[in-house]
Structure formats: structure tokens, C-alpha cells
Amino acid sequence: MSDERNFRTYYYDKFGISGVEERKSLEILLKEKPISVEKLKQFCLRFAMPVLYRNYVWKLILDILCANPDGHKFLMQQRSQKYNDLHHAVKLLRYVHEDTPIGKVFLKMYLVESGQIKFEQYKFDSEFEDFVSIASTMADICDDMTDAYLFSVEFYKMFIKSRDSTSNLVQKTIHCLKSEDGDGKLFDHFKNHDLWSSLPLPLWFNSCFARVLPETSIERIWDKVVGGAHGIVVYVAVAIFLTFKRPLLSMKSREDMLHYLMELPEDCGDIIVTKAIDLWSKHS
Amino acid sequence: MAVNSVDGRGVQVDVRELFNLLESNQLKTVDEITEEIQQHLSAVKESWLINSLVDYYYIAQTERVIDILMSVREPHDKHLVEKLADGIKSEKHQLLAMKLLLHVVCKQPMWVHKLIKPPIFPALIRCLKTDTDIPLLMTGVMVITVLLPAIPSLVGKHLPDIFDIFGHLINFNVKKPSSPREGSVPDVFLLHLQVALYGLFHRLYGMFPYTFLTFLRHHYSKKENTAAYEESIKPMLERVRLHPHLISGTRENEMDAKRWKSLEDHDVIVQCAKMSLDQIEGTWEEISCPVASFSHKPILPTAGKTQRKTPTGDWKKLKTSVSSPPQLSPTVTTQDLSPFWSPSLSVGLSTPPPSQQTTPASSALENSLASLHQAQQGTSGNTSTTDTPRGTPPISTEEEKGRGRLKGQREIKKLSLSNKSLPGLVESKSGSSSVPPSPLRAEFTTEPPRGIFKSLPVMQAARELQFDVGSARRSLGTPELLAENLQDSSFSGDGSFRDVEAERSDLMESYSRDAIMKTQTTEEDTDDQEVSDLTKNPVPPMFQTAESVAKFMRSVNRIRFNSMTNEVETILAQEKYSCRRNSRSCPNLHKMPVPEEEVEDPLSRSVSTTFKTSSGTPKVNEMKENAEMMTSTPKTNMSKTSNVTINMASHVVNNITYHRMDSSRSEKESDFMTVLKSVLVPTKVAVCQRCSAQCFTSPNKSDQDLPVPVFETYSPPELLDKHLHLGGDIHAKQLSRIPLTNQDSISWTHFGGMPPADEINILRGQIFMMKNQILYERNKRELHAKRNRRLLRKITTANALEEQTKAQTEQIQILETEIQNLRLSMKLLQEENRRLKQTSESNEYETQVKLRACLSELDDLRSAKTEMNTLLIRQREDQDALKAKLQNTEAKLFQEQRMNQHLKEQVQMTQRLKEQVLQLHKELLLMGELQGKYETKLNIIRNSHHAKPEQDNMITTLRAENKALKEKMKINTLNWDGVGKKIQELEGNLQNKQLSIEELKRQLHLAKICHEDEIKAVEDKYNSICSINQRLEGHIMSLYGQIDQMERPKQAKSGQPDQMEQPNQAKISKPQPSPDSADGTPRERTGSVPTSPPRVKPALTKMSSVPLGCGLAGTPPPVARAGHEASQSDTGKTKSDITKLQPVRRTVTEGSEDTASISSNESGGSLIARRGNTLNSDGEEKSQSSKDSGYNK
């Protein structure tokens, strides 16, 4: 399909008018019957996802909707029913109340749905911190709570299934930073302050940067993750380091740096994400 | 003043003040004023300043003004020249103007050439031609004499005038001119004039010999001039040698400006001097006449006297050094020369050495004293060989004494040479007798101090002097004396202390003076006593007139007193002249100053005093006293010197033989004079002899043994010198006898009268002219000095060249030896070559002989060869012929053989052919027989041939049959086509159908997938609902548990919990047929909280779906109702959920229609009963069953 694309795409890319061709190609993709989920995944990895179709595509990829568009309506009906049931159940069971954060609600719902909830219902909540953060981010991303819940659950499942061990990812991050950091100053700086051991990398990787990066920018990362490129998290971490290289280098103590990294400025999200995607595309 | 009227106004005062200041006593102010005037001159371009200066000079006659005017530069020269021309023309300032002109000319400024142009030169010429004032004339002649070499090229056209002047003035000698102003001219003046003319003569002869001689020839061929010729010209001509130019040059040539282009003024002078044979005027090489210069110097107080003295001394030394060589062995000369040369070298012909800052008076005194000793020495030098200082220094060892003696003799000659001027001195009063020995003294007085600087050397020197005198007395130098001399000389370094010496000499001399004085006074030596007595004689009158008459009385202490008076003089002299002392004197000044200063200082002083008196300064009274003193001092000096000369004379009595000749010339004769002359003549003769030895120009010169005067007459300068000397002698000797009135030295004012005007005027004129002479000599000397410097440079270069030539000669020698070697080797090689040639020749001859023999042999062999060759050819030809024949025969033979063979073969063939022909004949016969037979047979067959009809019928039938078959086949093919088409259609239909079937299948598949998805979703939902239910049930259970726990304490009995459960179970398990099984389960439940086991167990039993299917098939509502009721009974909220569930269940059942039957078959009613038992695990089972059904599918 990509080979038949308009020759102008290159110029679009060149002039920064991205999304024109992608959108068309995506529309073509979506018109197929049945829809090829694999191609959609490829699309996710290769191009920026138009916002209009993100929801739909995610649903398709995350198997919330089936490949055949005829059954979508029914499927969504079922899903929403399920969501309502679950929601009702958790409410009924008083797992949640009115002001419980939506992430928690989704967690409870997920736990109920997966039957993992026990009598000691609050016992395992800490294990699902990642889910909570993902879910809350999803809730922010999506307008519809049903979608949000479904996305969170499916995304979480897929993420759990596909990810490497955290230590492996950390190693990759170190390696990547070493190769990407031009003058090696930052790397040395990290090394000097023994930062690797105390960086919040596992947290970042497990939650896939939910709540770390702003929602608007994290969508693009998640596009890639949804597309199957879980490894992008490594590059996101490196991109964060490189973006904040200067302030980090100026800081002397490890605590300062950690503190700084824990509270990344909001407006840097896009820069980080763009850089991360560049890095990722460069390395993949 | 008339001067100041030139410019008037403010300047007037200024100028007057300036001029007054110029005469101030303060050296500093004078310098400043001079400076200021110089600046003015450089600033002002107009003539007034120069004019006023000249006017002032006319009035004041100050030397300072002369100084200033002499150094006038370019823009003012014109004014000065004009002013001078005016002055010469005017009656009033003629003399002064002329004097100034002489000064200017002597100075030789850049613009000297302007002096030859009008207006000044014609004025000068006219003045000289017309005037009769001797001083003026003399000055004019001097001017021309000095001017001649300075501008030789320009002077040509004025030569006739100059000649005229010359002739005119020469005539004065014969016929005294009488000027209207002064009456008859004194003879002395004429002498001076003669001297000047003599100089002019030499210049003219030297520079323009041809023209000059032409003039002389022309002029003196006249009768009236013969007397003058005899008197004046002839002696002059005697003293010149033949000018080479007379032979080589022409008149035009002489006037040519080119001739002078390459020559400088001093070159010209030396050229002129070379022509002269005169000791005074002329020179051998660079020597100039010393006497004239000495005699003239006293007249020059202004210019540095010291400056001038040294060169003359040098010249003298040069002269001696030059003259000495021919008489001595080279070794001796070199030895001898060294001390001689050293001073002159140190004089620095090139550069003037540091100045001697002596006060004039002191030096004068010293010199006077020293000169005394010198004089003694000089005279003693004549007799004894040992005491000459020059001889001693070079001799460093005792062994050289003999040589030294030899030298001594030579030195005597030298001395005499240097003393040659003595004759000239006879007549002069200026004490020039001290002049000649000056070189001696130079070495004598200076050398001791060189080595030793304390009083000891001085004493030694004094003693030495005395010894010398003593030795002179004894007429032979004793060895002891010689030794002493040697000692003294050994003290002195050979020339290494020149520079030091220059500074110290004055000190030394002042020391030595006193010391000598003392020694002299204390000495008991009679000789010394005599000398002192002699010297003492003239003193008294002087002192009478001067200050201390009382001191005069004490004749014993006279010398001390003398020294005192001298000191007084020094003070005065310092006041007067220190400002004029020129600082650029030469180092060996101390050698020379004696004579000049001795004479100079007093004279100059007297002159200055006269000047002062005339200028009318307020110090007149003082000056008078000074004048007295001064006039007296020279006399003492003179008297001293004269005494010395007398001494000398007395010692050299044996030489008096010739005094008669001289005495005949002298007019004012005395006993002394004769003696003096006798002393002087030999020296002069000696000089002449030397000169003859050197120059070869005077062939008639006699030897020393036979001294004959060279010239019958004296040259004018000699005459003048003599005159002066004699005059001085007379003054010294007979002053006491001369009436006071005749003594010009007497202060007439003291007696209240005036001295005779004539005498004073004469003396004044004389002084004036002397000054002029000195100026002239100074000019000459300067030029000579210049030349000396140049010559010295040439000498150095010549030395260098000599060195070079020496080196080159050495090189040449080396090369020559080399050449000789090479020649030798060449000779050897030639020898060898010749030998080789001979051998080669013999060899060659032998080989030639051999060669000849070989050649003859070769000829023989060659002829033999040719014979053999011809033989060979002939034989070969024969052989060829034979061979050809042989071949022919062979060929024939072969041909025959071949023919023979061929014929044989043919014979065989013919035989075979014959046999064949026979056989064929037979066969032919047989075939003919067979043909006949077959012909017959054929004939028989032709007759028996026939055709049948049935065969035709059969063919037609067969044809018809064939037609019918074809028809049939056509129909069949048509049918076949139709059928084929039908089949095609059917196949197309079939394909379509298959396609549609496929499409349907695909759609079905899609639908299936879709439905599967849907089912999945539903299942998902269902699963979630199940899990919700499970959760809910779990919740309910826990709530029950709580309720139970709450109720248990109330109903203590065991039946209670069962009862409580019973209704509940009844409600739920209405359709359950067996309550037994239900009894079991609640017990379990109550016993323990239901966990995973109940879930796992049902998973193992797949039949759980059966009741569901049963429910669907049979009674679904009750279940729903039961659930409904249960839920209603429990919570009203679940109502809606259940209503939702119902349709879902329906769909599920629909989806699993086909499986229902199977499951129903499998599961019996027993399972339904179980279902009722396990209400708790209902959901699980359901899901399981649904899953199972999915799998089954």
C-alpha cells in the first residue's frame, strides 16, 4: 500500500504538512473489509496518527472492535453494556464512591472483570499503580469513559504482555544515552553521580510514561506502543535526559536531578516526544 | 667714532658698547662678544657691520677684530673686499688695510678667489707700483706671494703686473726710494722687503718659470737694470735650480689653468720650494726654511704661537733625518733615525696632538732657559761626539760606543745642519741663535722627563746639561759622561710616553727651569760661572730701568731674581695672552718653544703695549710699566742667548777660518760677530754640503774637511736674520755703552722725554713687517702641515704597499722555485722522451726491413697464385666439358631403356586385347540367337487380349452408397454442434453458480467471523457479568456470613442456620428435583468461605450448560423469575440488571442452538439436579458451557 502512495508525500514531509497523506492512506486502510489490523499497526508505527481516527484505530488494534466493520455497532453496544455492568457492580459493591478517582474506579472495574479482586479488596491495589496511572491518563485522553476503560484494560494487558524486563530496558537506556549523548558529558555526569540506580526508570517504563508526560503528547508515544513498538519507552527516557541535559548538567547533587526529573515541565512534552520518535525511528 | 656713524641710532650705542667690550680684560666677555658679532654677521646681510668692524679695526687695530674679519663668510666677503679695496686706495688706512688683507689671505677663506678680481686686486697692484712705504710694500708682496699658490690658475693674466712690481721693488735695493712722508727708508726695512721679494721670487720661479725668466731676461737686459741684477737677482738665481719646466713647458702651457687643477696650494708651494736650493726658502722634499719662520713669528701675537712652532721643529728634524742617511751605514741610520723620527711622528703629522696648556710667559721663560742650554749643547755638539743627546738614546749598550762616536760625528753634521740658520741670525737681534739647536733641545730637554717625572730627572737633566757644557770645554766627551748620558737616556722610554709627555712637559720644564737655575748657581764649576757671568752682563741695565735696581746689585743672586722677574712676567703674560693661546699645539711643543717664545713673548708684548698706548685705554700707566719690563726681558733673553753663542764660539775657535768672508758682509762688526760667524759658517757649509749630497744640484760643494761657502752672498732672509741677530748681539753686548737715548727699550717717559721718532718708527715698521713675515711663514707652515699629513698618509700606504710587494716577491720566489723544479722535471722527461724516440726509431727501421722482405715475398706468391689460378680454370673447364658429355650419354642411355620397357608393356596389352575380342565375338553370337526367340514369343501374346460389364455396375452402386453416408454424417455434425453449445451454456451456468456459491461461502465466512466477534464480545460481556455476579454473590455471602454471625448468639440451637438457609434455597432451587444434594452444599458453604475450589470443580464438569439449554428449551421463565425474585427479594436495584440479562441469555441460547441438543443428550436430569445444588457456581458453569459450546463448534 505504501508503495502506491502519492509521490507528493515526500514533499509533504519536507514542508512539514504531515498528516495529509497519512490520513488518506488511513482512510483507505479503514475502508477495507475486513480491516487489516496488521496494516493498521504498521501505520501506527510509521506515521503520525490523525486524532480523528485515533480512537477508532486503537479500538481496532486493541481488539475492542472486530475487523469487520459491520459488527462494530453491536460490539460497541456490548462493550458499553459491559462497562455499565462493571461500573454498576463496583458501585454496588461500594468499591468506589462518587469521588473516587477514575483511575481507581477503572482499576476496580478491571479487577472485578478479571476476577482478581479478593475479599481483602484493597490489598493489591499497590500492585496496579501502573494501571491506575494508565487508566487515569486514558480517561483524560478519551471523552467516552467506556472507551477509556476499554482502552486502559486492553492497553494494559497488551503492555504487560509485550514488555521486556525492566532491568533490560534500563540497560538499553544506558546504552542509548551513551551513544546519543554527543560529548558524553551527560553520561559522565550521570555516572559520576550514580544516577542510574536511583532514576525512576522502572516506574516510567511500567506506566509507559503515563502521568509523566502530558496527555496530549503521550498519545503519540502510545500510538507507537499500540503499534507494537514497546521499545520506544527507552528512547523516550533518553529524549527526556537529552532535552534536559543543560539543567541536569548544571545540577550538582543527585537529589536535585531526581527531583527535577520527577517534575518535568509541561510544555516540554512535545519536544520530548518528537525527539523520542526521531530517536526511535533512527534506531529501529 | 666714525665707524658708528655708518648705521646710526640705536645700533650705534650697541656697536660702541660691543667694541668696547671686545677690548675688555675679561676673557669670557670677549668670547661672548665675539660670538655675538659672529651671530650678527650671520644674521645681518648688509655691509654696515663689516664696514664698522673694519673701521673700528683701523682705529683700534685690535687682533680680535682681525679674528672676526678673517672668519667672515659668504655674503659679507664682498663688503669686506670692497672695504679693503677702499682702504688700500685711501692714504689713511693703507697699511692697516693691507695688513688685514694679508691676514685674510693667510687665512685662505673659501672666497679667496674673489681677491684676484677687481676692485681689490687692481688697487693692490697700483698701490704696490706706486707706493714707496716699505712696510706697506712688503705686506703687499706678501699678500701676492701667499695668494699665488692659492689661486694659481686665476693669477695668470696679472702676471705682468706682478713682474713689474717685482722688478720695481728689486730696484729699491739699488736705489733707495725716498718717500715724501718719511724721507729715506731705513736699510733694515729694505732687508725685510728683500725677504718678501725673495719669497715672491721663489713663487714666481716655481710656478711660472718660463714667463718669469722671460721677464727677467727682458727686464735685466737693459742697462739701467744691470746693477739691480747683480745686486739682487743674481744671488736669488743662484739659490734656485733649473726648473724642469723651462725645458718642457711653454709660455702658453704655463698659463694654462689645467696645469693647476690637480695641484693644491701646498703642492704648489712644495713645488716652488723644491726649486730652491736655499735652506731657508727652499727645501729638499718637504723641508722648509725654519729660520724665516722663527724670525717672523714674534710678530704674530694673535695666532697660536705654539701651534706654529712644532711644525718647524719637525721640519728641521725631518731635514736632519733625511740628510743623515747617506753618510751612515743603514743600520746606524735606522738606529739613529728612530729617536729622531719618533718625535716627529708623534707630532702627528696627521692630527694635531693634545694641547699644551702652558702659560705663555712661563713657557717662554722656561724656553729661554732651555734654549740657553741648548745653545750650549748645540755648540758643544760641534766639538764632542759623546755629548750629543741624539746619539745617546739609540745606544743602549756599551759596545756601541764606538758606533756612537761615529754617530756623533754624523750628529755634529746634523747639528750643524740644524744650526745652519745661525749665520742668518748674526744680524738679528731676536736671539734666533736659539733656534737652530731647537731639535737638539727638543730631545734633550724632553727625553729625560719622559722617563722620570720628579725633580730627580730635572736635576739629572740639569747636570747633564752642565756635563755637556763641561765636556764641551774639555773638547772631548769622557766615557763617564757618556755613561751618564746613556743612563739618562735609558730612563727615557723610546717613544712610548709621547702622550703623557705632552701633558707633563710643561710641568717638567718649569721644574727643570728652577732646578737648573739652582744647580747652575750652586755649581762651583768655573764654566758655569763663566756662563752665568756672561749672561749676567746685560741684565743690570734692564733692571735698572725696570723695577728693582737693588736686586741688580746683588749679582750673585741674579738668576734667582731673574726667575722672579720671569714670574712676574708670566702673570702679566697670562693676563694678556692667555685668551689667545691656541690650544691645538703639538705634543712635542716643549721641544721647540724655546726660541720662539723667548723671542715672541717679549716682542709681542711690546707690540701689544704699543697698541694699547695708541688705542688710549685707561690702563696706560700700567701698560707702560709692563712695557718697560717687556722691553727689558727680551733683551735679557737675547743677551743670554748671545752669550751662549759667544760661549759656543769660544769653544769652537778652531773653526774660525772662514769668518773673514762673513765678516766682510756684516756692517756692524764686532769681535763677537767674527767669532760667531766662524761658528756659524761651518755649520752652514755643512748644511750646504749635505744639501749637495742630497740634491746633487750644487756640484761645486766642498767636503766637510774643505768647507767652502756655497753662495757668495746671503739670501735676503739670511741677510735679515743676520741683521737681526747681529743687532740683537750688539744690543745685548753694548747696550751699556750705547747712550740711553739710543736705546728704544728705555722708558723715555721716565726721563720725561720722548725717544727719537725715527728709531721707534723703524722698529715699529720692522715689527710690523716681521709680523707679516711670520704670517707668511705661518701660511706656508700650515700648508706644509697639510702636506705633511698627506705625505704621512702616503707613507703609510706606501708601507702597506711595500709589505704587499714583499709578500708578492716572496710568492714570486716560491713560484720561481716551483718553476725551476718543474723545469728540471721537464728536462728529465725530455731525456726520457728522446730515448724512447730512438728506440722506437730503430724498431721502426727493423720492421720496415721486415716489411720490405715480406712485400717481395708477397709479390712472388701473388704471381705464383695467378699462374695456379689460370691453370685451375683451364682444368675446371675441361672437367666441365667432360661432365657434360657424360651426362648426355647417360641421358641417352636412360631414354633407350625407358622406350624399351614401354614397348614391352604394349606388346603384353595387345595380346590380352586379342583374347578379349575373341570372347566377345562368341557372346554376340549367342545374344543374337536369344533375340530371335523372344520376338517370336511377343507376337503370340498380342493376339490373345479382352474387357467385362458387371464390374461397372458395382462401381456405381458403391458410389451411391458413399453419397448417402455423407448426408448422414452432415446431420450428425449439426446435432453435435448444437449439443456442444448447450453443454457450454450449462457449464457457464455451473461456473456462475459455483462463483455465487463461493461468494455466498465467503459471505458466510465473514458473517461467521463477524458473529464470532460478536459472540466474543458478548461472551466477554457475559464473562464480566459472571464475574460481577460472582463478586456480588461473594459479597452477598460475606453479608450472610455477617448476618449469621450476628444472629447466632440469638438462636443458640443448631437447627437455626438450616432454617435460615432453607427458605433461601427453596427460592433459588425451585426447579431442583433433589433437595438432598442441596442440603450438602449449604453445609459446605456455611463451613467455609467459598473460594476458588468451587470454581475449579465445575470447570471439570462440562455438563453445566445442559440445564441452561434445558431451561431454554423447557422452562426459562422460572429461572428468570426465580432470579428475578431472588434479586427482588435481596435488592431492588438488580432488577434492571436482570432484565438486561435476559435478552442476552436469549441470544446466547440462539447462538448455541445446535449444541443444545448434544449437551442435552449428554446431560441427564441428574445434572439438572446438580445445578440446583450448586447455585454458587452457576455462572462459572454457564461460562464453561458456553465455552465448551464454542469449542464444539
Side-chain angles (χ1 to χ4, degrees), chain B residues 284-301:
Chain B
W284 299 274
E285 291 301 326
E286 289 90 358
I287 310 160
S288 83
C289 73
V291 177
S293 65
F294 294 140
S295 58
H296 285 279
K297 257 157 207 162
I299 315 170
L300 289 171

Side-chain angles (χ1 to χ4, degrees), chain B residues 965-1013:
Chain B
L965 283 172
K966 267 181 185 170
E967 203 73 21
K968 211 182 182 177
M969 200 179 78
K970 210 183 237 173
I971 293 160
N972 278 339
T973 49
L974 281 170
N975 284 340
W976 173 251
D977 283 349
V979 171
K981 266 182 187 162
K982 233 181 201 172
I983 286 166
Q984 258 181 336
E985 276 172 24
L986 286 170
E987 270 180 358
N989 280 346
L990 189 67
Q991 255 179 339
N992 283 342
K993 270 180 187 165
Q994 271 177 343
L995 279 171
S996 61
I997 286 163
E998 247 168 72
E999 178 67 18
L1000 283 171
K1001 269 183 187 170
R1002 201 170 57 86
Q1003 277 177 348
L1004 191 66
H1005 183 70
L1006 274 174
K1008 202 172 160 190
I1009 289 165
C1010 188
H1011 284 297
E1012 267 174 15
D1013 287 339

Side-chain angles (χ1 to χ4, degrees), chain B residues 716-737:
Chain B
E718 276 174 348
L719 267 179
L720 183 61
D721 287 344
K722 264 186 193 172
H723 169 78
L724 290 173
H725 191 73
L726 278 175
D729 281 347
I730 288 156
H731 270 281
K733 195 68 191 170
Q734 302 187 343
L735 205 60
S736 55
R737 272 178 258 160

Side-chain angles (χ1 to χ4, degrees), chain B residues 505-741:
Chain B
S505 54
D506 48 346
L507 232 168
M508 290 299 110
E509 279 181 358
S510 62
Y511 268 117
S512 65
R513 194 193 118 267
D514 283 331
I516 290 161
M517 280 306 215
K518 274 169 196 165
T519 47
Q520 279 189 334
T521 46
T522 49
E523 196 88 64
E524 277 102 24
D525 197 353
T526 51
D527 308 324
D528 196 50
Q529 200 66 30
E530 272 184 13
V531 174
S532 60
D533 283 345
L534 283 165
T535 49
K536 163 183 77 182
N537 283 338
V539 177
M542 169 185 80
F543 291 132
Q544 275 174 358
T545 55
E547 317 145 349
S548 54
V549 184
K551 278 181 183 170
F552 163 63
M553 293 305 179
R554 280 180 281 162
S555 56
V556 186
N557 291 332
R558 73 211 172 284
I559 291 164
R560 191 176 295 165
F561 156 74
N562 197 3
S563 68
M564 277 176 75
T565 53
N566 285 337
E567 273 166 9
V568 174
E569 278 178 353
T570 53
I571 295 155
L572 289 168
Q574 271 176 332
E575 276 180 10
K576 276 229 106 183
Y577 296 108
S578 54
C579 56
R580 291 168 194 177
R581 203 74 15 205
N582 208 329
S583 60
R584 49 193 185 100
S585 61
C586 302
N588 52 356
L589 165 96
H590 49 270
K591 294 168 190 171
M592 283 309 299
V594 195
E596 293 93 350
E597 294 203 344
E598 175 195 1
V599 181
E600 268 167 35
D601 290 352
L603 282 173
S604 61
R605 234 170 280 144
S606 62
V607 168
S608 64
T609 45
T610 52
F611 275 122
K612 266 178 195 158
T613 46
S614 62
S615 63
T617 49
K619 305 179 213 167
V620 176
N621 291 333
E622 262 186 37
M623 287 298 113
K624 268 181 190 170
E625 269 195 355
N626 288 336
E628 280 174 11
M629 273 185 57
M630 282 166 225
T631 46
S632 62
T633 42
K635 267 164 204 161
T636 56
N637 289 331
M638 284 178 216
S639 61
K640 269 186 226 163
T641 51
S642 61
N643 285 336
V644 171
T645 51
I646 288 155
N647 251 346
M648 297 193 308
S650 63
H651 297 315
V652 201
V653 189
N654 51 347
N655 285 330
I656 314 176
T657 40
Y658 298 103
H659 73 94
R660 217 184 310 135
M661 251 166 43
D662 298 333
S663 64
S664 66
R665 306 279 318 161
S666 62
E667 288 161 327
K668 298 171 186 177
E669 284 178 306
S670 65
D671 299 345
F672 286 107
M673 282 322 298
T674 52
V675 175
L676 192 76
K677 271 177 203 160
S678 68
V679 174
L680 294 172
V681 167
T683 61
K684 190 193 108 188
V685 167
V687 170
C688 292
Q689 188 226 354
R690 175 149 301 111
C691 103
S692 72
Q694 284 219 330
C695 306
F696 311 105
T697 48
S698 52
N700 58 341
K701 295 286 126 58
S702 58
D703 282 334
Q704 201 185 0
D705 305 326
L706 249 171
V708 171
V710 183
F711 307 116
E712 290 171 13
T713 59
Y714 289 110
S715 67
E718 276 174 348
L719 267 179
L720 183 61
D721 287 344
K722 264 186 193 172
H723 169 78
L724 290 173
H725 191 73
L726 278 175
D729 281 347
I730 288 156
H731 270 281
K733 195 68 191 170
Q734 302 187 343
L735 205 60
S736 55
R737 272 178 258 160
I738 297 169
L740 274 176
T741 49

Side-chain angles (χ1 to χ4, degrees), chain A residues 33-34 63 66-68 70-71 74-75 77-79 81-82 84-89 92-93 95 112-115 117-119 154, chain B residues 1002 1006-1007 1009-1010 1013-1018 1020-1021 1023-1025 1027-1028 1030-1032 1034-1035 1038 1089-1090 1095 1133-1134 1137 1140 1144:
Chain A
K33 226 174 203 182
D63 205 20
C66 61
N68 195 345
D70 295 339
F74 177 75
L75 277 175
Q77 209 178 348
Q78 295 302 311
R79 302 291 186 205
Q81 277 175 7
K82 185 176 95 176
N84 287 337
D85 287 348
L86 284 168
H87 194 74
H88 179 73
L92 186 71
L93 289 167
Y95 289 158
V112 168
E113 189 191 355
S114 59
I117 203 157
K118 306 292 183 304
F119 282 97
E154 292 302 324
Chain B
R1002 201 170 57 86
L1006 274 174
I1009 289 165
C1010 188
D1013 287 339
E1014 280 171 8
I1015 286 161
K1016 227 189 269 173
V1018 172
D1020 192 27
K1021 193 183 85 178
N1023 280 341
S1024 66
I1025 285 167
S1027 59
I1028 289 164
Q1030 189 184 351
R1031 194 65 244 156
L1032 285 171
H1035 193 66
S1038 65
V1089 178
R1095 265 200 288 179
K1133 282 177 194 172
T1134 49
D1137 291 342
K1140 279 175 195 166
V1144 173

Side-chain angles (χ1 to χ4, degrees), chain B residues 1-4 6 15-24 33 37 48-66 68-69 83 93 96 100 615 617:
Chain B
M1 283 183 170
V3 182
N4 301 329
V6 177
V15 170
R16 187 180 296 150
E17 271 177 14
L18 276 179
F19 290 155
N20 282 340
L21 283 170
L22 203 58
E23 286 305 310
S24 120
I33 295 301
I37 291 171
W48 62 268
L49 187 54
I50 287 289
N51 288 344
S52 59
L53 273 171
V54 174
D55 284 337
Y56 175 69
Y57 164 72
Y58 289 158
I59 292 158
Q61 305 186 3
T62 327
E63 314 298 328
R64 281 154 194 169
V65 182
I66 294 176
I68 293 163
L69 287 172
K83 188 74 186 165
H93 304 301
L96 287 170
L100 190 58
S615 63
T617 49

